[in-house]
Amino acid sequence: MPTGKNLYFASDFHLGANGHVLSREREDRIIRWLDLIKDDCAELFLMGDVFDFWFEYKTVVPKGYIRFLGKLAQLTDAGVKLYLFKGNHDMWMFDYFEQELNATIITNELEIERNGKKFYLHHGDGLGPGDAQYKLLKKIFRSRFCQWLFARIHPNLGIGIANIWSKQSRIAGANDTKKILHQQEWLEVYSRELLQTKHYDYLIFGHRHLPLDISLQDNSRYINLGEWVNYNTYAVFDGENLELKWFEKD
């Protein structure tokens, strides 16, 4: 890592959720955060569900988010390396962001090493115990045949259907996160299983919507990045330590 530069991690912006007004407020807040980190950011990891829904037709992408996308373009043009992870809400990213932002699209996990520290990175969907229904749906939705079928639907209808589905998924997810307080966290279980075969200093996920920093065995840590509807949380690695932080916390 370059001296004085950091790695930044964030997840679950859900841009487009909760109506245009609240989404724009969230977009503006995210842009203020990106402005804050732009001078010392070497690599930016946006780890899934950046959009509440995303599908790239051959010649069409969902409208909106122009300020956010413009800010990402500004960062990448300045030399920031951008990684975009596919989440369960925006799994249908193809090559648009590669072409426009020179981003690296991550479909599943990404393992990296920086300054001697090993990272395991994944959005977190479909991992660990539970979530059985989604694990089946994920296989269907990520199939090329399913993607081909959806692309045959006119964007007005297809995106409308997807937005209804996305809203239902959010409601289910919001109820489910409450269970974390009453049972061992799914991704903590998954992290402990991974550590049985390989050491990671940091295992970082999104998806579960609660900011968590949990110590595991052998000085490993499970980090959940939370989300930007309620928490505005992110993680920063300065070359030596990783810290979970709140942006514009009241």
Side-chain angles (χ1 to χ4, degrees):
M1 289 175 54
T3 302
K5 294 289 187 177
N6 300 324
L7 309 184
Y8 286 93
F9 306 85
S11 185
D12 293 86
F13 295 159
H14 286 277
L15 289 171
N18 301 334
H20 178 72
V21 173
L22 291 178
S23 179
R24 267 296 312 278
E25 291 178 358
R26 187 159 60 255
E27 182 179 7
D28 289 343
R29 187 164 61 250
I30 293 164
I31 290 169
R32 291 196 298 273
W33 172 64
L34 293 173
D35 276 331
L36 176 71
I37 70 172
K38 64 183 180 182
D39 292 333
D40 66 6
C41 180
E43 298 177 83
L44 176 60
F45 299 82
L46 300 183
M47 295 183 56
D49 287 359
V50 171
F51 305 98
D52 204 53
F53 172 73
W54 186 267
F55 185 85
E56 294 173 24
Y57 294 85
K58 186 174 182 180
T59 57
V60 176
V61 296
K63 70 178 184 180
Y65 326 119
I66 188 170
R67 293 161 184 83
F68 170 68
L69 295 177
K71 181 58 64 175
L72 290 183
Q74 181 183 27
L75 292 176
T76 56
D77 287 349
V80 173
K81 177 60 180 174
L82 175 63
Y83 299 84
L84 287 173
F85 287 65
K86 295 181 180 180
N88 48 303
H89 284 254
D90 50 16
M91 66 175 67
W92 287 341
M93 293 181 184
F94 303 124
D95 62 0
Y96 177 71
F97 296 117
E98 291 178 343
Q99 294 177 358
E100 295 297 325
L101 299 174
N102 197 31
T104 298
I105 306 300
I106 307 299
T107 299
N108 293 303
E109 72 278 353
L110 175 66
E111 298 182 26
I112 63 172
E113 183 171 344
R114 300 290 186 272
N115 284 25
K117 300 290 187 179
K118 295 182 179 180
F119 296 75
Y120 180 92
L121 311 175
H122 195 292
H123 176 62
D125 58 318
L127 303 180
D131 232 358
Q133 182 179 10
Y134 172 70
K135 289 176 181 177
L136 175 60
L137 289 175
K138 181 178 179 180
K139 292 180 180 179
I140 296 172
F141 288 161
R142 285 201 173 182
S143 71
R144 291 186 179 276
F145 181 65
C146 178
Q147 294 166 8
W148 181 87
L149 282 178
F150 194 88
R152 309 279 76 77
I153 303 174
H154 189 280
N156 288 348
L157 177 60
I159 292 176
I161 293 171
N163 284 335
I164 293 172
W165 174 267
S166 179
K167 182 178 180 180
Q168 294 301 316
S169 177
R170 282 200 309 278
I171 293 171
N175 292 331
D176 184 66
T177 53
K178 297 176 183 178
K179 298 178 184 178
I180 297 175
L181 302 176
H182 306 289
Q183 67 184 34
Q184 193 173 23
E185 215 292 297
W186 293 350
L187 295 177
E188 179 186 350
V189 172
Y190 181 76
S191 296
R192 293 185 185 278
E193 292 174 351
L194 282 178
L195 291 172
Q196 298 303 309
T197 57
K198 188 173 181 179
H199 173 76
Y200 301 96
D201 295 281
Y202 305 109
L203 301 101
I204 304 177
F205 304 87
H207 184 54
R208 297 291 273 155
H209 289 188
L210 285 179
L212 299 168
D213 185 348
I214 298 174
S215 296
L216 306 174
Q217 64 265 31
D218 300 325
N219 296 318
S220 298
R221 285 159 59 193
Y222 157 53
I223 306 292
N224 196 285
L225 296 168
E227 43 79 10
W228 281 67
V229 177
N230 301 294
Y231 296 108
N232 309 327
T233 42
Y234 65 98
V236 55
F237 177 68
D238 64 6
E240 295 184 6
N241 300 300
L242 185 140
E243 184 178 0
L244 188 63
K245 292 188 174 186
W246 276 250
F247 179 67
E248 295 186 351
K249 184 177 181 181
D250 294 334

